[in-house]
Amino acid sequence: MRSIIDIRDVSMCFRKENEKTDTLKEFFVKLVQRRLRYSEFRALNHVSFSIERGEAVALIGVNGSGKSTMLKLIAGVMDPTQGDVEVNGTIAPLIELGAGFDVDLTARENIFLNGALLGHNRRQMQKNFDKIVDFAELWDFIDAPIRSFSSGMIARLGFAIATEVQADILVVDEILSVGDFNFAQKCHRRMEKMLSEGTTLLFVSHNTDQVKELCPRAIWLDHGNVMRDGPSAEVCDIYLEQKAQA
Amino acid sequence: MASRREQYTADKFISLFGELVKRDLRKKYRRSVLGYFWSLLNPLLMMTVMMVVFSYMFRFEIENYPLYLICGQTMFNFFNESTNMSLYSIIDNGILLKKIYVPKYVFPISRVLSCFVTMSFSLVAILIVMLFTRVTFHFTILLFWAPMLYLLVFCCGMGLLVSSMAVRFRDVIHLYSVLTMLWMYATPVFYPIEAVPPQVAQLIRLNPMYVFITLFRELLLYGRMPGPGLWLAGAGMAALVFGLGALVFSKLQKSFIYYI
């Protein structure tokens, strides 16, 4: 069987403009003055790994190590400079607070809008609507515009939508700390349930305790290189050691 | 790589477009007392203002001036509104586009479509003016949708063009408001094309908006069947601009992520 995520020798280079050129005038002025200089920034350097169906894998590393770039490549919002990214399944991203929501719309309207943006049709969303609202515990506010919601309420809604419609891969970018204690517990239980049902988890975090708890396997990235790939307890320990030394 | 892009089957596309269009429509008149009724009332009020201004200040000899005005103004407003809303569509959805894969062109196109729905409400206003001014109904009126369709294709093309260019250079946003103003004066919305010098009139005939509006007026106001030349010119211009917009958009969309 094919791996659900297959990363083959992926490099990602960004052309970093030395000064930002945002307006046409600046662009032409610099073009004429031959000051359009770029320096190359390599965010990922020949990265290869594959993730099997049903695995729970963590990506760890300090800021700027290439974790977010990796996630963007897997999500398909960017194409790699070199190499292949193959994803054989649907992705449910637990995206940033509020991205994909429209604050002027009600919670009910946002559920359908967000669902459509995640690639679900209206029928699927109607089928899951009650369960989503149940999980988010938002029945009392279902027809209120979400601009009046607290950040915790929005996070609950986002988590409920992303996880209710079954996807093959769940991508979590450190959001487990959102919401109160009870809700965090509830999210945790749901993720464990999804894992037991065969959903693949890709978890990005600095928090090694959470990583060890949720994922048997961890991949440590540093300056775009894979430093270690193996059992999370082992990888996390080496990572912490290294960080302590630095 | 292709797998998740292929996941967008027809029903998902329809759902996505449907939700985006519904969002725009809901937001447009949310918290207003009259709601969708504004789409009907607004063109009538605008027409009245223009009628007063141009009947007392600059006089043009045009038969059934109210209908002449509202036909041109409805179509030009649609062009103006839809392309201006598209202009910001990619920038507005930047955070989203950084996080999940969504076919990017759905944003400008859905905004043009939602304006098209509002324009369809305005057709009732045109019908009211037709009844009020007791214009004789001709069978040609049944073809009213054809110039609207041309205009829709044209605006989708313009929307793709300006939205993708605005991502790379924000100047386009400022430039575009000047361009639309110029465009409005270069389109015979409130004046007859005979009112301008012949050389200028020649130029105006190359203006796609002039072609679409003329087709519309011929069918509704004068009850004449436009000649094949005008139909072909309209179709050609719409197809050309759509092709150009689609081409530029597809070339630029790969780099959106770096500028949003």
Side-chain angles (χ1 to χ4, degrees), chain A residues 4-246:
Chain A
I4 195 156
I5 297 175
D6 200 5
I7 309 292
R8 285 186 300 265
D9 193 34
V10 163
S11 294
M12 186 75 210
C13 294
F14 290 105
R15 214 166 53 158
K16 198 172 60 174
E17 284 159 42
N18 286 340
E19 295 152 81
K20 206 155 175 57
T21 317
D22 241 359
T23 68
L24 265 177
K25 189 183 137 209
E26 282 175 46
F27 181 81
F28 283 117
V29 167
K30 286 183 182 174
L31 194 71
V32 170
Q33 297 177 340
R34 295 178 186 283
R35 282 205 294 128
L36 267 187
R37 267 195 293 268
Y38 301 102
S39 57
E40 206 151 80
F41 171 72
R42 197 168 266 257
L44 290 171
N45 190 19
H46 299 287
V47 172
S48 297
F49 61 84
S50 60
I51 295 173
E52 302 304 321
R53 217 163 275 270
E55 257 193 304
V57 180
L59 283 178
I60 57 173
V62 292
N63 284 334
S65 56
K67 298 181 308 251
S68 303
T69 307
M70 198 67 244
L71 278 193
K72 281 180 183 158
L73 292 176
I74 291 171
V77 297
M78 285 198 297
D79 290 327
T81 317
Q82 195 196 327
D84 280 309
V85 176
E86 197 184 309
V87 177
N88 298 302
T90 53
I91 300 180
L94 284 182
I95 51 181
E96 246 166 49
L97 267 182
F101 282 138
D102 192 309
V103 291
D104 290 324
L105 299 184
T106 65
R108 184 192 300 276
E109 292 160 350
N110 265 303
I111 289 174
F112 287 102
L113 175 64
N114 211 266
L117 288 169
L118 293 177
H120 308 306
N121 62 34
R122 204 175 164 82
R123 213 182 47 251
Q124 284 172 302
M125 293 313 290
Q126 249 146 5
K127 212 176 69 194
N128 290 296
F129 182 81
D130 287 354
K131 282 188 281 179
I132 290 171
V133 188
D134 278 340
F135 189 85
E137 302 166 20
L138 286 173
W139 280 111
D140 294 341
F141 308 99
I142 189 71
D143 287 313
I146 66 165
R147 71 160 70 253
S148 60
F149 282 23
S150 70
S151 56
M153 286 159 86
I154 293 176
R156 265 147 54 188
L157 192 60
F159 186 89
I161 296 169
T163 56
E164 192 59 60
V165 185
Q166 202 74 33
D168 303 321
I169 307 162
L170 182 64
V171 175
V172 182
D173 194 352
E174 25 208 351
I175 60 129
L176 286 180
S177 49
V178 198
D180 57 20
F181 180 74
N182 284 335
F183 194 73
Q185 292 281 306
K186 205 168 155 185
C187 293
H188 211 100
R189 278 200 300 279
R190 166 164 281 194
M191 282 170 61
E192 269 164 0
K193 181 165 163 279
M194 290 174 79
L195 283 173
S196 68
E197 286 167 359
T199 303
T200 309
L201 173 70
L202 191 61
F203 183 47
V204 175
S205 184
H206 302 283
N207 185 334
T208 47
D209 292 333
Q210 266 184 358
V211 166
K212 281 190 226 171
E213 201 180 332
L214 267 171
C215 308
R217 177 181 163 200
I219 298 170
W220 169 24
L221 288 174
D222 190 58
H223 290 98
N225 296 298
V226 177
M227 305 297 282
R228 253 338 129 94
D229 179 355
S232 59
E234 215 174 280
V235 176
C236 284
D237 288 345
I238 305 170
Y239 166 67
L240 287 176
E241 228 171 81
Q242 178 95 14
K243 234 172 55 172
Q245 279 173 13

Side-chain angles (χ1 to χ4, degrees), chain B residues 125-173:
Chain B
I126 297 183
L127 198 68
I128 290 173
V129 175
M130 288 177 82
L131 290 171
F132 251 86
T133 54
R134 300 217 176 87
V135 70
T136 26
F137 281 79
H138 300 274
F139 75 96
T140 52
I141 193 181
L142 296 173
L143 275 172
F144 76 96
W145 50 271
M148 282 174 64
L149 204 67
Y150 282 6
L151 182 62
L152 175 66
V153 173
F154 175 77
C155 290
C156 285
M158 281 299 289
L160 288 170
L161 187 71
V162 294
S163 64
S164 55
M165 294 196 338
V167 176
R168 181 65 186 88
F169 294 109
R170 305 289 147 109
D171 309 59
V172 172
I173 294 170

Side-chain angles (χ1 to χ4, degrees), chain B residues 36-76:
Chain B
Y36 290 117
F37 194 60
W38 274 116
S39 293
L40 174 65
L41 201 58
N42 223 326
L44 288 175
L45 293 176
M46 300 256 276
M47 179 202 71
T48 313
V49 172
M50 285 171 98
M51 225 173 66
V52 171
V53 171
F54 293 113
S55 311
Y56 290 101
M57 290 168 63
F58 317 95
R59 296 184 69 93
F60 299 112
E61 290 308 314
I62 295 175
E63 64 159 301
N64 200 345
Y65 194 49
L67 189 57
Y68 182 89
L69 263 180
I70 202 167
C71 283
Q73 181 212 326
T74 304
M75 292 196 103
F76 196 86

